[in-house]
Amino acid sequence: MSTATLEGQAAPTETVQSFTVTLIIRRFDPEVDSEPRWQDFDVELFATDRVLDALHKIKWEQDGSLTFRRSCAHGICGSDAMRINGRNRLACKTLIKDLDISKPIYVEAIKGLPLEKDLIVDMEPFFDAYKDVQPFLVSNTAPEKGKERFQSVADRERFDDTTKCILCAACTSSCPIFWTDGQYFGPAAIVNAHRFIFDSRDEASETRLDILNDKEGVWRCRTTFNCSEACPRGIQVTKAIAEVKQAIMRGKP
Amino acid sequence: MPEKSAGALADAQPVGRKQAVEQKPQGLRVSGTLYRGREGMWSWVLHRITGVSIFFFLLVHILDTALVRLSPEAYNAVIGAYQTPIMGLGEVGLVGAIGFHALNGLRIILVDFWSVGTRHQRLMFWLVWVLWAVLMIGFTPRHLMNVFGG
């Protein structure tokens, strides 16, 4: 058995076809450049490689100055959101085989946040909006002695979709409103507010609805659905925002 | 002082950089690629454009109508200027813009208020275009006959 497995592993490495893929990356070095510039790289890749692997190959073998964020590299940490071929995606979840490699792959930083270097943007404004919606459980009552806070399956289901957020900023930086109005809370902050507004154990929903019932809150949303399409976790972001809008109009979640 | 040293660093290093600048691919804007949003984004873009156009039309329309209070002769002159073929074609555009803005407005209302509206937004977008086409097929031939038929 074990020899068969070994052979099975050894054989395909010779036959797996690799492709030369051109990546055009929008680079910016604040110490040298006054404006971002495009630079192309040719990389040898397999169909099963991801855009992140391509960036690694460039950084490790061609140009060590290429700068980007990544941590887990498996779609959990949300560090490597970037604009790939004009759409926000996670570099670690975008397979080369899903892209058209007969054309160059364009990679650039996410839009709407201050560009710091190459593919890195300043995420502080994004996290400030996140902090502003109080993304934590607020409860003034103690749970029954010796028990946890009870929640029915149906109540948990109510906000299940918005618990999946990894704060990668792909949604917020895909929003045309956010590009031009940095004061807008943005989809990610509203998603994380939604996660607690509709949590039956939470007692600060009114406060969060008050915060979002603002010119720069949920009413800035123009339902372009860019956020729902950009979300690497498949969260129905626009639906969540619509639910918060409804909750504000009803005055309760 | 720190600024100066950063500048010196930049001056000392650019040998490899300069080459990179030269191989800039043609036709790429410095501002980055256009975001490739889908139906939702383009409906929003069109809604904005048609909305602003209709606003300016209404502004002009209120002004020319108000003219009748000042001088009926001037009003007649302005209205006469509207009876030209160019204005007739412009009216096709106006009806098209109002038609899209109205139908897409209904779509947005459904997205906001209908519980499954967000799920069907793409279908509704194409439905808007179907209804808009029906409207324009009904309006345009009849209108052009009036404009060019004399």
Side-chain angles (χ1 to χ4, degrees):
Chain A
M1 270 303 267
S2 62
T3 39
T5 324
L6 272 177
E7 275 166 13
Q9 277 177 345
T13 47
E14 291 160 352
T15 53
V16 170
Q17 203 194 343
S18 66
F19 307 89
T20 304
V21 180
T22 306
L23 276 89
I24 303 186
I25 301 176
R26 190 165 180 247
R27 310 230 17 212
F28 175 68
D29 183 344
E31 289 181 352
V32 182
D33 304 316
S34 54
E35 279 186 323
R37 61 198 158 77
W38 291 93
Q39 187 178 359
D40 43 3
F41 297 94
D42 287 334
V43 204
E44 201 63 19
L45 292 170
F46 298 110
T48 49
D49 277 334
R50 305 156 301 167
V51 171
L52 182 65
D53 296 310
L55 294 175
H56 276 152
K57 276 201 146 182
I58 293 167
K59 187 174 177 70
W60 294 337
E61 294 163 15
Q62 296 184 29
D63 184 347
S65 71
L66 181 69
T67 314
F68 53 93
R69 287 196 185 100
R70 90 272 182 267
S71 294
C72 77
H74 289 82
I76 300 297
C77 70
S79 299
D80 63 350
M82 48 191 77
R83 197 147 39 119
I84 298 167
N85 281 349
R87 287 193 176 123
N88 282 0
R89 302 156 178 268
L90 294 184
C92 60
K93 281 185 86 172
T94 308
L95 287 171
I96 297 297
K97 73 178 173 66
D98 294 334
L99 300 170
D100 177 10
I101 55 168
S102 64
K103 290 187 209 135
I105 298 169
Y106 293 91
V107 183
E108 54 202 301
I110 48 177
K111 204 170 166 170
L113 291 161
L115 184 62
E116 294 208 317
K117 188 176 183 182
D118 290 352
L119 302 174
I120 291 186
V121 295
D122 179 9
M123 296 281 278
E124 275 320 305
F126 172 77
F127 286 121
D128 286 342
Y130 171 62
K131 286 173 202 158
D132 283 345
V133 300
Q134 306 190 3
F136 39 80
L137 189 91
V138 180
S139 184
N140 301 316
T141 52
E144 207 182 320
K145 199 148 180 70
K147 293 271 173 77
E148 68 274 29
R149 292 174 204 278
F150 176 76
Q151 185 166 54
S152 71
V153 174
D155 280 348
R156 175 63 176 70
E157 183 62 32
R158 186 70 194 81
F159 61 91
D160 185 67
D161 201 33
T162 44
T163 60
K164 298 174 192 162
C165 178
I166 55 175
L167 292 170
C168 65
C171 57
T172 296
S173 60
S174 76
C175 176
I177 313 298
F178 184 78
W179 297 336
T180 49
D181 178 9
Q183 295 300 305
Y184 173 41
F185 274 88
I190 301 172
V191 158
N192 284 282
H194 177 284
R195 185 249 169 275
F196 288 99
I197 287 168
F198 293 95
D199 188 333
S200 59
R201 300 163 295 185
D202 188 86
E203 287 167 20
S205 298
E206 308 279 315
T207 320
R208 291 193 196 90
L209 291 178
D210 263 357
I211 293 168
L212 291 176
N213 184 14
D214 185 87
K215 192 159 65 79
E216 305 291 355
V218 285
W219 307 118
R220 265 279 177 273
C221 171
R222 297 291 190 273
T223 62
T224 70
F225 289 88
N226 276 11
C227 51
S228 304
E229 271 143 22
C231 181
R233 308 299 311 261
I235 300 172
Q236 296 302 304
V237 183
T238 315
K239 182 169 176 259
I241 297 174
E243 285 173 0
V244 175
K245 284 175 181 169
Q246 297 272 330
I248 289 174
M249 281 186 291
R250 283 198 312 269
K252 61 178 189 334
Chain B
M1 221 13 220
E3 270 172 39
K4 261 199 173 159
S5 59
L9 244 176
D11 286 338
Q13 273 187 339
V15 191
R17 297 254 169 211
K18 281 266 160 66
Q19 291 166 342
V21 176
E22 277 157 28
Q23 50 171 253
K24 183 167 80 177
Q26 313 85 0
L28 268 177
R29 290 173 307 133
V30 185
S31 56
T33 60
L34 183 70
Y35 194 87
R36 283 171 54 200
R38 301 190 52 176
E39 290 87 343
M41 180 170 119
W42 293 112
S43 79
W44 167 76
V45 169
L46 282 171
H47 203 77
R48 269 285 155 93
I49 293 172
T50 53
V52 171
S53 318
I54 294 165
F55 169 78
F56 282 112
F57 161 73
L58 285 176
L59 197 71
V60 172
H61 187 52
I62 288 169
L63 290 177
D64 65 37
T65 311
L67 211 57
V68 76
R69 300 274 298 172
L70 296 172
S71 137
E73 290 77 31
Y75 174 81
N76 283 340
V78 169
I79 294 300
Y82 288 169
Q83 311 293 329
T84 60
I86 294 169
M87 279 298 184
L89 290 175
E91 277 165 347
V92 176
L94 178 67
V95 170
I98 292 174
F100 176 80
H101 199 81
L103 292 166
N104 193 53
L106 294 174
R107 170 181 164 273
I108 295 170
I109 290 171
L110 285 173
V111 164
D112 274 336
F113 288 95
W114 186 26
S115 57
V116 289
T118 50
R119 207 189 306 157
H120 299 307
Q121 59 97 6
R122 200 164 294 154
L123 175 71
M124 291 196 291
F125 175 77
W126 294 113
L127 210 62
V128 162
W129 282 117
V130 169
L131 292 173
W132 182 83
V134 170
L135 180 84
M136 294 310 280
I137 289 168
F139 168 77
T140 315
R142 180 99 197 102
H143 174 69
L144 292 182
M145 262 151 56
N146 283 340
V147 171
F148 294 103

